[in-house]
Amino acid sequence: MNMLCRFLVPALLFVASAVPALAQPAPSYAVLSLAGDRITVVAPELETGTRLDPDVRDVVKMPDDGLDIIAVEVAEQALKKVRPGAEVELYVTRDSKIFSALNKDDMAPADVPALLATLQKVLAQSKASHLLLISKHRANVQFKFADYSVQVNRLYGAGFYVDESRRLYSVDNRHVKRGYVGPYASLKILLVDLGQRTVVQEVLAHATEIHSTPDGAPTAWAGMSGQDKFNAVRRVLERAVADGITRAVRQP
């Protein structure tokens, strides 16, 4: 190595070490909720016989996208707590073709490419690098009482589990009440890299409440007004979304 080379090599190494690596652009997020188009009311059947599913399920389609709007707004709040300053775009849709692309019951990573193709119109103006997709998930959900819990199988999305036969004992006054309503949310949050069209993170999130029969009411279900029921399902949806979004975007 000649004199010039011996001088230039250390100098170039010094310059390279002094120049900071080019910063990667901060991720930006499009948030879409496909969790609030319907709720499910589930109740145990008294005589199961040979039924594979011992519960009766009634699916109620929501008249508007109010629950999905709530979900994306809560998602934005949770996201900005973990990623202050992040650019966030919020989306909801009532397009039946998009909901049918959810593979009937549960969004899986393998379903994402087909879903993204369906979402082209919805996300056409988006400049986001990542998609946070809030979707329904079918799971076994725990309802926690004072000193025990009850597991209900195959609850999906958001809704109510209504058990009017279970006896509930108050630990405060030892009174016995019959029946309860359990609002629930069972969700899957997918973080999708829109450039690579791949799932970066998958998070399952659940939330429940317990509402026993109020004094003077014939049943727990009848003891809740329509507004009470909406507020209850809203609360569990908000809790599940906030928890799921936080875990989905938090770096390990």
Side-chain angles (χ1 to χ4, degrees):
M1 182 181 295
N2 60 34
M3 182 71 69
L4 181 60
C5 288
R6 287 199 299 270
F7 172 78
L8 284 177
V9 169
L12 290 173
L13 290 174
F14 172 78
V15 171
S17 64
V19 177
L22 293 177
Q24 294 294 323
S28 54
Y29 301 89
V31 182
L32 171 65
S33 174
L34 299 177
D37 64 312
R38 57 176 171 165
I39 61 173
T40 306
V41 181
V42 182
E45 191 175 48
L46 295 180
E47 296 182 4
T48 59
T50 59
R51 286 169 52 93
L52 295 177
D53 186 351
D55 298 323
V56 178
R57 300 167 191 266
D58 186 16
V59 177
V60 180
K61 291 186 177 180
M62 301 303 291
D64 55 36
D65 51 13
L67 286 178
D68 281 321
I69 291 174
I70 290 169
V72 296
E73 289 177 343
V74 171
E76 180 181 26
Q77 295 170 10
L79 173 57
K80 288 191 172 182
K81 286 183 180 179
V82 182
R83 297 273 183 265
E87 294 185 9
V88 184
E89 305 167 357
L90 306 182
Y91 295 90
V92 296
T93 181
R94 300 294 283 177
D95 190 335
S96 59
K97 293 181 180 178
I98 293 175
F99 284 95
S100 65
L102 293 179
N103 196 21
K104 294 184 179 179
D105 267 352
D106 207 349
M107 173 57 63
D111 303 318
V112 168
L115 178 65
L116 291 179
T118 311
L119 288 176
Q120 283 182 351
K121 289 184 180 179
V122 176
L123 300 178
Q125 303 302 317
S126 175
K127 299 187 181 344
S129 63
H130 290 75
L131 168 66
L132 278 164
L133 176 64
I134 305 167
S135 63
K136 308 178 193 72
H137 175 57
R138 190 176 299 282
N140 301 336
V141 176
Q142 298 280 342
F143 291 91
K144 296 183 179 180
F145 296 86
D147 53 355
Y148 67 98
S149 62
V150 173
Q151 176 174 291
V152 180
N153 297 336
R154 302 180 68 249
L155 294 184
Y156 182 58
F160 301 90
Y161 183 71
V162 184
D163 187 344
E164 300 289 10
S165 63
R166 182 172 292 274
R167 293 179 178 272
L168 306 180
Y169 296 87
S170 172
V171 295
D172 297 323
N173 54 28
R174 298 181 181 274
H175 288 176
V176 178
K177 291 189 175 183
R178 190 178 186 91
Y180 72 94
V181 173
Y184 70 87
S186 177
L187 306 179
K188 176 180 288 186
I189 314 293
L190 294 180
L191 176 61
V192 182
D193 185 319
L194 290 174
Q196 300 296 324
R197 302 175 72 85
T198 57
V199 175
V200 178
Q201 187 69 273
E202 176 182 313
V203 172
L204 305 181
H206 309 94
T208 61
E209 287 185 358
I210 299 293
H211 295 261
S212 60
T213 304
D215 293 337
T219 64
W221 185 254
M224 298 179 70
S225 68
Q227 189 63 50
D228 291 337
K229 292 165 185 170
F230 178 81
N231 290 341
V233 80
R234 173 177 182 160
R235 284 192 300 269
V236 293
L237 182 68
E238 288 176 339
R239 284 168 46 208
V241 168
D243 171 54
I245 293 291
T246 299
R247 290 189 285 124
V249 300
R250 180 184 293 154
Q251 290 180 343

